[in-house]
Amino acid sequence: MRIGRLGLLGLATLVAACEEQPPVKIATYRVGGTVTGLAGGNLTLQLNGQQGLTRGADGPFSFETPLEDGSDYAVTVTATPPEQACSVEGATGKVAGADVSSVQVRCGTRTYTLGGTVEGLRGTLGLSLGGETLQVTANGGFTFATKLPRGGAYTVGVATQPEGQRCTVSNGGGTVAGNVTNLSVRCHDWYTLDTFQAASVVIGQGDFTSRAVNRGGPTGAGTLSNPVGNPAFAAGRLYVPDTGSNRVLGFNGVPSANGASAGFVLGQPDFPDFETGSGEQGLGSPEGLSSDATRLAVADTRNSRVLLHSTLPASTGATPSLVLGQESLDPTARLPGCGRTSLGLPEDVFLGGGKLLVADSANNRVLVWNTLPTTNGAPADLVLGQRSFTTCVENDANGDEVRDTTATATTLWNPTGVWTDGTRLVVADSYNNRVLLWNQFPTTHGQPADVVLGQADFTSRAPALTATGMNTPYTVASTGLQLFVTDSQHHRVLVWNALPTANKTPADTVLGQVDFTHATLSDPDTGTTPSGRTLNQPSGVLLTWPQVVVSDYGNHRLLVFQSH
């Protein structure tokens, strides 16, 4: 019996040993921390992308469901009060044998960035916002480091200008209602010139006191004969209309020495040639030139056409790709006309703002192509100075083909110069002794101008030798800020340091004369020879910073003035 009892006891012990042991309990801990700075609404936090927790005030917090020891944790912010931004310090880690209470959620007023874009910059520009000055060295986008809350007032200005430029800020002030992205900075070349300043270089003559046509000899690579119209500069080349020799001279850069020779010629087979021509290779008294940096346009005046080179000419014999004002480049197609596809002795052309403009001088109008033409004889889209494409009489406001007794804001008489930046438009209305400005680019035929220079009103047209008067203004050029006008019969170039917005605004600076009330041809004015300071019927101006290049018609030369 004893043995039996022992056996039963052993069996019970064996059975108990074979029963399942209870599981080991894994320790769990809660994740939490502290919220500070919360105001104006609720904050929602999330743990490991699952658990949510909402708080409406500062203080400690702890997620409800604990995590096992050794687990990774990550706390994120999923919602904040409308005008607060909250950041998490100690947001991630690993549970290590104790509750986590080190997560710090700090809330503060939401702030917004301020930025925008810069265009036209070629240097270093300093922009200011409060106590911050941001140095901008390239065109494109910019963003200040300073951030402001909703409702905060801001003013952005120019702290330092780039060398040789003036930059202006649009949309520079306001109240923050979100991220500010519309700050717009436009930089323009700026020319610092003195009244009666001397030129640094002369082209077409060997010195500043000579004035003979073709330097007193045959036509050559370094001579000029009555140059008329604006030169052009593109891709490192200077293009000069040598009107009296029926050609365009091409220089490799703006010359730095007097009497420089051109590198190539357009309109003639070689430098000694000067006869009037037509067709693909010829020119007849070319005047205004213009380039948009990739193309060259030529006002071929005597041939009543405008030639367009789709690539910039770089050698003698380069031919244009298309013609306006004529149906083709055929040498016999050279008749002037008054119509949508015709021209009458055009004296200037301008490429810019995606448009092509022509001063159709003998037709007393300006023609506008809203996109660059791609076919010969392409029709214009808009006419200014006339009511329609079929009337061409000077100062004819009602379109009855009879000259009116006065000029108006809608009429022109022998316009000879045009300029636009795609928004504003400037026209030299030469025989009305005035310059007209449109503040917004015209969209209808015969649209009236907004501002007149040279006259007190739109009906006056008498010349005057003053800072506000003109006598046969010939060409215009602008940086978008400064305006240059060749006041040809007063033998001077007038400069405004801002595009005028009021009639009869006086000029700020004059080149070619000692002041605004002289119109002399010699230096000294009792002498008989020109100098580097005088002009004789200037008829063209080119702005290529830091140089201002003036076509000095009566002295058979170009003068190069240097900004300082």
Side-chain angles (χ1 to χ4, degrees):
M1 292 296 290
R2 182 181 180 187
I3 296 174
R5 288 195 296 271
L6 290 172
L8 290 172
L9 181 59
L11 179 60
T13 301
L14 179 62
V15 171
C18 293
E19 288 181 353
E20 182 177 351
Q21 299 296 315
V24 177
K25 185 177 181 181
I26 300 175
T28 60
Y29 302 94
R30 299 181 75 172
V31 175
T34 305
V35 175
T36 58
L38 183 62
N42 290 329
L43 164 72
T44 301
L45 303 175
Q46 197 171 63
L47 175 62
N48 290 344
Q50 297 176 344
Q51 289 193 61
L53 179 148
T54 300
R55 287 289 181 269
D58 289 350
F61 70 89
S62 180
F63 287 95
E64 182 177 353
T65 303
L67 299 181
E68 293 181 351
D69 192 21
S71 298
D72 293 326
Y73 66 87
V75 177
T76 56
V77 176
T78 59
T80 64
E83 290 306 319
Q84 281 207 303
C86 300
S87 61
V88 184
E89 297 177 12
T92 60
K94 188 183 292 288
V95 176
D99 289 340
V100 176
S101 60
S102 59
V103 179
Q104 298 294 315
V105 181
R106 303 185 191 280
C107 297
T109 302
R110 184 182 298 278
T111 56
Y112 298 90
T113 60
L114 293 92
T117 57
V118 175
E119 60 177 315
L121 179 65
R122 52 166 181 78
T124 299
L125 164 70
L127 294 176
S128 63
L129 172 62
E132 179 186 356
T133 298
L134 176 66
Q135 299 296 321
V136 181
T137 59
N139 292 308
F142 67 89
T143 303
F144 286 96
T146 299
K147 297 181 179 181
L148 296 176
R150 182 181 295 272
Y154 65 90
T155 300
V156 174
V158 175
T160 56
Q161 296 281 6
E163 182 184 2
Q165 288 196 299
R166 291 293 183 273
C167 302
T168 56
V169 181
S170 299
N171 309 318
T175 301
V176 173
N179 288 333
V180 176
T181 60
N182 67 339
L183 299 174
S184 178
V185 183
R186 181 69 188 272
C187 298
H188 301 84
D189 288 339
W190 183 265
Y191 294 85
T192 302
L193 301 164
D194 300 323
T195 289
F196 208 37
Q197 179 173 324
S200 58
V201 175
V202 60
I203 301 171
Q205 301 289 349
D207 54 55
F208 290 110
T209 59
S210 300
R211 59 179 304 271
V213 61
N214 291 326
R215 298 172 74 166
T219 305
T223 68
L224 289 171
S225 173
N226 296 125
V228 178
N230 290 346
F233 186 83
R237 302 184 190 96
L238 173 66
Y239 300 90
V240 174
D242 187 12
T243 310
S245 293
N246 303 295
R247 63 183 186 172
V248 172
L249 295 179
F251 295 81
N252 294 314
V254 177
S256 57
N258 296 342
S261 294
F264 58 95
V265 60
L266 306 176
Q268 300 294 342
D270 206 348
F271 290 113
D273 301 298
F274 58 88
E275 297 296 332
T276 299
S278 57
E280 287 188 343
Q281 296 284 352
L283 291 171
S285 301
E287 295 194 18
L289 310 178
S290 182
S291 177
D292 60 0
T294 60
R295 290 165 280 254
L296 179 70
V298 180
D300 190 13
T301 305
R302 188 177 297 179
N303 287 321
S304 293
R305 63 183 186 175
V306 166
L307 302 176
L308 185 63
H309 294 259
S310 59
T311 58
L312 292 169
S315 60
T316 296
T319 57
S321 52
L322 64 87
V323 60
L324 299 175
Q326 305 293 339
E327 294 182 353
S328 71
L329 288 164
D330 187 306
T332 61
R334 52 181 298 187
L335 293 176
C338 176
R340 190 177 176 187
T341 60
S342 302
L343 294 171
L345 305 177
E347 296 192 57
D348 197 25
V349 59
F350 188 85
L351 288 171
K355 304 176 186 295
L356 186 146
L357 285 68
V358 175
D360 191 13
S361 306
N363 286 330
N364 304 292
R365 63 185 186 175
V366 169
L367 295 181
V368 178
W369 284 258
N370 287 324
T371 57
L372 294 180
T374 57
T375 58
N376 290 337
D381 300 303
L382 183 72
V383 60
L384 299 173
Q386 302 291 339
R387 294 170 61 93
S388 71
F389 288 112
T390 58
T391 57
C392 293
V393 173
E394 65 274 12
N395 288 345
D396 181 17
N398 58 9
D400 62 358
E401 299 189 19
V402 176
R403 185 202 304 168
D404 300 334
T405 56
T406 64
T408 71
T410 66
T411 64
L412 295 170
W413 190 348
N414 195 54
T416 50
V418 287
W419 173 89
T420 185
D421 59 1
T423 300
R424 297 162 296 182
L425 172 65
V426 183
V427 175
D429 187 12
S430 65
Y431 287 0
N432 283 325
N433 301 302
R434 66 184 186 176
V435 168
L436 299 179
L437 293 87
W438 286 257
N439 294 328
Q440 295 292 323
F441 199 91
T443 57
T444 59
H445 296 328
Q447 185 169 323
D450 299 302
V451 178
V452 60
L453 300 178
Q455 303 295 335
D457 53 53
F458 289 105
T459 59
S460 303
R461 52 179 301 271
L465 184 57
T466 64
T468 60
M470 298 179 187
N471 188 350
T472 319
Y474 216 86
T475 56
V476 293
S478 178
T479 63
L481 286 179
Q482 293 173 292
L483 174 65
F484 292 69
V485 175
T486 54
D487 186 16
S488 66
Q489 296 307 304
H490 284 155
H491 316 296
R492 64 185 185 176
V493 175
L494 298 176
V495 184
W496 285 260
N497 285 332
L499 275 174
T501 57
N503 295 347
K504 205 177 179 181
T505 300
D508 297 297
T509 306
V510 59
L511 298 177
Q513 299 298 330
V514 68
D515 56 32
F516 291 106
T517 59
H518 282 76
T520 57
L521 300 176
S522 303
D523 185 18
D525 56 8
T526 56
T528 59
T529 60
S531 74
R533 303 188 297 182
T534 60
L535 295 168
N536 186 338
Q537 300 177 71
S539 58
V541 60
L542 164 68
L543 307 178
T544 177
W545 197 89
Q547 291 102 4
V548 177
V549 184
V550 178
S551 300
D552 190 10
Y553 168 88
N555 288 323
H556 309 288
R557 65 184 187 178
L558 267 64
L559 292 182
V560 180
F561 296 88
Q562 194 84 10
S563 175
H564 60 84

